[in-house]
Amino acid sequence: MDIPEIDKLTESTLAEIQAAADLAALEALRIKTIGRNGMLPELMANLKSAPDKKAMGLALNRFKTSVTQALADRKTALAAAAESKAVAAVDWSLPGAFPRRGKLHPVTQLIDRTTAIFRRMGFTVADGPDVETEYYNFDALNTPADHVSRDTQDTFYLPGGRLLRTQTSAVQARYMEAHKPPVRIVCPGRCYRRDTTDATHSANFHQIEGLYVDEHVSLADLKGDIDHFARELMGAHVKSRFRTHFFPFTEPSVEVDFSCHMCHGKGCRVCKNSGWIEIMGAGMVDPNVFKSVGYDPDAVTGYAFGMGIERLAMLLFGIDDIRRLYENDVRYLDQF
Ligand code: PHE
C-alpha cells in the first residue's frame, strides 16, 4: 500500500466510524482497524520494507491518531443518544412508589386529644398499674367487699388480693396518697372487666380518669370544665348535661351526656333520636375517699370523672363496632 492509498483508507475508515449505528458496531470497527490483529499492526509490519519509511510512518500515524479520536468521539455521541432515548422512554407523569405511612391507632389518637385538652387546662398526666390491688380498685374508693357495685365490675382476679383494674379510678387513691393537694390529674389507661364481647363491650378497654382536688372545688367547676372539654373535643356547638346517678366514690354523682355532635341535638341514628349521648361518669369526691388517703375532707373538696376512650373514638370516627378497634385490620384502621 502506498501513501495515497493509506490516506484514502484513513478517509473511508473515518466515514465508516461516523456511520456506526451502535456501540457494538463501533467496537467491531475498533477491533478491525486499530485492534491487536487489525489493519494498523499489519500495515506497521510492512513499514520495514517500505521505500519511504519516514513519509509512510507519518501516514500510518495519521491513520492511528485520527481513527482513535474518531472512535472515541463516536462512542461519546452514541452513549449520549442512548441515554436520551432511555430518558424519553420514562413516563414522568406516573405516580411514584410511596412507602406505606404508619398511623396512630384511633384509641391512641383519642388518648392524645383528650389529654392535650386537659393539659391546656392545667392538668398533668398520671399513671397507674394495670394489675391493681383490690384495695386501690375498690376499698379505697368507698367500695367495700360486700358492695353491690363490685358485681357490675366483675373482673379477672389474681392471687394475693390482686386483680386487673376495672376502672382508672384506681389511680385516684394511689395518686392522692403520694401527693398533697392541690391535685389536678388525668389518667388514661387500660381497664378490664368480665364482659361478654359485643358491639359495644370488650373485656379490655381504655378509660381516662380526671381528678381535681383543692380548696373550694365545686360541682360548678366540674360543669364548667366538662362543658369546655365537650366543646374542645366534639365541636363548639356541643353542650353537656348532668343526670343524677350513683357511684360509691363520688357524692353527689352524675352521668354526663353531650348533645349529639352529629345532629346538633335534633335526633339522629348516632344519638338514637334522643339528641344526647352518654359520655362519662362523674361527681364530687366522696369524703370517705379523702379519709382513706389521709386528706382532710373539711379542708378540701374535689371532683372526679371517668370515661371510655373507645366510646369517644367510635363516636368521633363513626365506628359501629368496638371489635373493629382490636382486629388489627390495617385497611380498616387506616381510614381514621
Ligand atoms: N369509674 C367510673 C366507671 O368506670 C366512672 C367514674 C369516674 C365515675 C370518676 C365517677 C368519678 O364507670
Side-chain angles (χ1 to χ4, degrees):
M1 230 187 242
D2 59 16
I3 291 168
E5 277 171 339
I6 286 176
D7 285 341
K8 238 172 110 187
L9 179 68
T10 307
E11 285 312 307
S12 65
T13 305
L14 292 180
E16 258 185 281
I17 290 169
Q18 207 46 50
D22 53 36
L23 291 170
L26 193 66
E27 177 63 4
L29 273 174
R30 187 191 65 79
I31 292 165
K32 189 177 121 189
T33 54
I34 57 171
R36 195 187 291 275
N37 299 310
M39 296 169 173
L40 185 64
E42 201 184 310
L43 293 168
M44 294 291 261
N46 296 333
L47 186 59
K48 268 197 203 110
S49 52
D52 185 351
K53 275 191 204 164
K54 190 172 177 205
M56 182 59 101
L58 285 172
L60 288 178
N61 224 21
R62 278 199 298 279
F63 177 87
K64 186 186 171 185
T65 47
S66 60
V67 166
T68 305
Q69 186 61 49
L71 284 167
D73 290 350
R74 185 67 187 146
K75 190 171 180 177
T76 311
L78 283 173
E83 195 186 310
S84 61
K85 208 169 143 194
V87 168
V90 173
D91 181 353
W92 299 99
S93 69
L94 282 177
F98 296 102
R100 226 186 59 74
R101 281 185 74 178
K103 224 171 186 186
L104 293 178
H105 189 280
V107 168
T108 310
Q109 289 186 44
L110 260 296
I111 288 175
D112 290 353
R113 281 172 68 170
T114 49
T115 50
I117 294 167
F118 284 105
R119 286 181 114 118
R120 288 198 292 276
M121 295 164 72
F123 286 71
T124 54
V125 176
D127 199 10
D130 289 16
V131 176
E132 243 321 342
T133 60
E134 276 186 67
Y135 178 76
Y136 285 115
N137 196 81
F138 290 125
D139 300 83
L141 296 173
N142 199 32
T143 317
D146 58 358
H147 199 286
V148 283
S149 76
R150 286 214 186 187
D151 289 347
T152 58
Q153 295 195 13
D154 195 12
T155 185
F156 306 91
Y157 284 85
L158 302 160
R162 290 174 307 153
L163 46 71
L164 295 183
R165 70 173 174 199
T166 62
Q167 49 188 357
T168 45
S169 301
V171 180
Q172 286 189 26
R174 276 188 177 278
Y175 192 88
M176 286 190 279
E177 273 182 0
H179 300 85
K180 284 191 170 56
V183 163
R184 214 182 308 187
I185 54 161
V186 281
C187 168
R190 278 173 194 268
C191 300
Y192 307 80
R193 288 189 197 177
R194 219 198 58 134
D195 265 333
T196 305
T197 304
D198 62 20
T200 53
H201 293 85
S202 164
N204 173 203
F205 61 104
H206 297 74
Q207 286 187 334
I208 182 161
E209 190 81 9
L211 176 68
Y212 175 28
V213 179
D214 202 348
E215 291 169 12
H216 312 301
V217 177
S218 74
L219 197 70
D221 293 308
L222 177 62
K223 183 71 167 81
D225 292 352
I226 292 303
D227 262 339
H228 177 74
F229 171 67
R231 287 191 298 268
E232 289 284 293
L233 184 69
M234 311 298 270
H237 57 85
V238 172
K239 297 180 175 58
S240 77
R241 77 172 179 190
F242 285 2
R243 280 180 290 111
T244 51
H245 198 72
F246 174 82
F247 294 104
F249 37 90
T250 46
E251 184 60 37
S253 300
V254 294
E255 271 195 322
V256 181
D257 300 335
F258 286 180
S259 61
C260 180
H261 58 291
M262 295 300 285
C263 64
H264 293 218
K266 284 198 269 300
C268 69
R269 200 175 52 86
V270 173
C271 59
K272 300 196 182 78
N273 277 317
S274 73
W276 295 92
I277 300 170
E278 188 186 316
I279 298 287
M280 66 175 94
M284 301 308 292
V285 179
D286 193 290
N288 285 338
V289 175
F290 285 142
K291 278 181 208 154
S292 58
V293 300
Y295 281 11
D296 178 0
D298 293 326
V300 290
T301 53
Y303 71 61
F305 60 82
M307 61 194 132
I309 303 279
E310 279 81 352
R311 188 164 165 68
L312 295 178
M314 288 168 75
L315 285 168
L316 277 168
F317 294 131
I319 298 170
D320 61 349
D321 191 318
I322 196 169
R323 286 167 289 201
R324 297 211 184 277
L325 291 170
Y326 307 119
E327 281 163 353
N328 277 337
D329 184 344
V330 175
R331 293 168 307 174
Y332 182 81
L333 296 174
D334 215 25
Q335 311 172 72
F336 310 115

